[in-house]
């Protein structure tokens, strides 16, 4: 049985917030001896509704920092190093000793033999300094609205996408539908971005995104329908809990009852292919085919707006890999070998978060591997693939799932 | 005042204004944006009625449909694609 490191993100953050606000209250009470109104302010800050309200902000900030700052940067670094190895080169190797400021500017250290992890941070700093250009003739309001729409809807996925049974911001009843709904907003932002920039390359990119949308969104939803035949629920906790049992025992190995092993195998494959189109990885990245359209629908964006649109593709990849592992690969379930007591709090050696991250990163590496090994397909080929292959296959998956649930498999 | 009433009034004002702007706006992108806004605010009213499922289906279906409607609007209305005169002179 698995065990989470953070049983309840809100309760954990409330302890932290309460401690910080208590310190602020003590400072204000000490100052209140001189200025009396500060005493009331301090007591108001430490009252329970205020602590709860501040905790919500802290919870969201923790999730944002975790998802964006840590996982997005790590995933970009993993991709850059991994495709460099596939192309038989080292990739980014700038080390921290190449910084020109004091503790790092040591002459005896090599500057270009590091891991290159901070290269993405440096790229982000460079993008922050760039000018924000608006092309002449562009629809300025819509042009600046599109990155907001894409970035906010991508972050909205992480409101309901759990990293373990406790590490999640909100638990809606229909969390799977919520995640899919948040996924489906971004193509509209892509179309707005492509149209409003008044450039033929962005326009073609946006139109391709709209054409591609129908080709992969329908099989994606059909696969979820096939899955619901087995699970009978749209709640991701319920779906993961059903996969936390043993299917068969082969000697010392206990095969878990993941949805992948069983009548859902076809649906899992179709879902993964449609998800690759959803996150615009290379075989399906025709909306920004940089060989034909300069940079696709992001051509006219500059500075950090381009950085947001470019970087959030990786965030969507993390969310897609997380969704696949929740639906088909058992989510965060996994064995806990030992539980250590640290100051009375049980800390599992391998918590659920680690198992989930392991699946997410392995799946992402598989996606990266595929996308740097195969050529980009044409727009008519992806429509053909979507309408003529994936939709019949997902209908077949529904048929299989319905038949399997009929015979009680 | 009741917060549900306030939320309902805000959502309905946004919805009515958005739906008027959909049909009066000359720029196609803005019309599509207001259409999406109208549909999402209708979803918000469903949420106020306590039907979370219809709200999510509304966003899932209509956020995916608006780009398609937009493409149809583009193909059917013979709108100017770009502001440069050279693209219009060809035909």
């Amino acid at each position: 049985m698995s065990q989470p490191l953070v049983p309840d993100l809100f309760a954990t953050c409330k302890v932290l917030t309460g401690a910080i606000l208590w310190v602020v209250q003590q400072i204000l009470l000490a100052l209140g001896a001189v200025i009396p109104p500060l005493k009331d302010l301090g007591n108001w800050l430490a009252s329970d509704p205020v602590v709860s309200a501040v905790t919500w902000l802290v919870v969201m900030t923790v999730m944002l920092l975790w998802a964006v700052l840590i996982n997005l940067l790590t995933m970009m670094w993993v991709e850059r190093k991994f495709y460099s190895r596939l192309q038989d080169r080292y990739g980014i190797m700038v080390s921290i000793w190449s910084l020109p400021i004091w503790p790092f500017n040591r002459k005896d250290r090599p500057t270009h033999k590091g891991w290159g992890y901070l290269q993405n941070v440096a790229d982000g700093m460079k993008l922050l300094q760039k000018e924000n250009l608006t092309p002449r003739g562009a629809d300025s309001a819509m042009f600046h609205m599109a990155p907001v729409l894409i970035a906010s809807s991508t972050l909205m996925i992480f409101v309901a996408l759990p990293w373990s049974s406790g590490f999640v911001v909100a638990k809606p009843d229909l969390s799977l539908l919520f995640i899919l709904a948040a996924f489906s907003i971004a193509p509209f932002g892509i179309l707005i971005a492509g149209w409003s920039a008044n450039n033929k390359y962005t326009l073609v990119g946006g139109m391709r995104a709209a054409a591609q949308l129908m080709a992969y969104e329908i099989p994606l939803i059909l696969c979820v329908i096939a899955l619901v035949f087995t699970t009978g629920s749209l709640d991701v906790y319920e779906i993961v809990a059903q996969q936390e049992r043993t299917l068969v025992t082969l000697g010392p190995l206990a095969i878990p009852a993941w949805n992948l092993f069983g009548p859902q195998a076809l649906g899992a494959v179709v879902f993964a292919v449609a998800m690759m189109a959803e996150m615009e990885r290379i075989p399906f990245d025709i909306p920004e085919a940089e060989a034909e359209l300069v940079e696709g629908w992001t051509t006219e964006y500059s500075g950090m707006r381009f950085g947001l649109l470019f970087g959030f593709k990786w965030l969507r990849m993390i969310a897609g890999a997380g969704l696949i592992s929740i639906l088909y690969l058992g989510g965060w379930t996994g064995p806990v070998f030992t539980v250590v007591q640290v100051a009375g709090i049980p800390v599992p050696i391998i918590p659920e978060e680690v198992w989930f991250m392991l699946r997410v990163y392995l799946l992402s590496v598989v996606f990266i591997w595929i996308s740097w090994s195969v050529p980009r397909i044409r727009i008519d080929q992806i429509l053909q693939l979507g309408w003529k292959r994936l939709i019949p296959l997902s209908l077949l998956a529904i048929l299989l799932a319905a038949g399997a649930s009929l015979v009680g498999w | 005042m009741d917060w549900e009433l306030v939320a309902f009034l805000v959502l309905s004002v946004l919805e009515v204004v958005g739906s008027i702007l959909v049909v009066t706006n000359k720029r196609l992108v803005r019309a599509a944006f207001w259409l999406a806004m109208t549909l999402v605010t209708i979803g918000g009213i469903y949420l106020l009625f306590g039907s979370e499922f219809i709200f999510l289906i509304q966003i899932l279906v209509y956020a995916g449909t608006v780009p398609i409607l937009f493409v149809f609007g583009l193909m059917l209305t013979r709108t100017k694609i770009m502001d440069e005169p050279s693209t219009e002179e060809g035909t």
Side-chain angles (χ1 to χ4, degrees), chain A residues 42-105:
Chain A
N43 287 331
W44 178 76
L45 271 181
S47 63
D48 193 54
V50 178
V51 173
S52 291
V54 176
T55 308
W56 270 116
L57 297 177
V58 172
V59 167
M60 285 171 209
T61 313
V62 165
M63 193 51 132
L64 281 185
L65 288 176
W66 168 246
V68 177
L69 275 183
I70 299 175
N71 280 313
L72 173 62
L73 287 175
T74 311
M75 191 60 82
M76 287 175 90
W77 175 75
V78 165
E79 162 139 21
R80 290 177 78 165
K81 287 302 259 191
F82 187 64
Y83 77 64
S84 300
R85 291 310 303 174
L86 289 180
Q87 293 167 351
D88 204 8
R89 57 191 176 91
Y90 288 114
I92 40 179
M93 289 183 72
V94 179
S95 75
I96 198 157
W97 306 112
S98 61
L99 283 176
I101 47 177
W102 165 62
F104 307 113
N105 55 355

Side-chain angles (χ1 to χ4, degrees), chain A residues 205-220:
Chain A
M207 287 301 136
R208 285 180 175 188
Q212 190 186 347
L213 171 73
M214 277 288 134
Y216 63 75
E217 197 95 319
I218 295 173
L220 200 74

Side-chain angles (χ1 to χ4, degrees), chain A residues 34 91 98 112 115-116 122 132 134 142 188 202-203 210 217 315 333 352 378 386 401 403 406:
Chain A
V34 187
S98 61
H112 286 70
W115 286 12
N132 177 28
T134 309
M142 289 295 121
F188 178 52
T202 63
L203 179 66
E217 197 95 319
L315 207 56
T333 59
E352 287 175 350
R378 288 197 314 268
L406 195 68

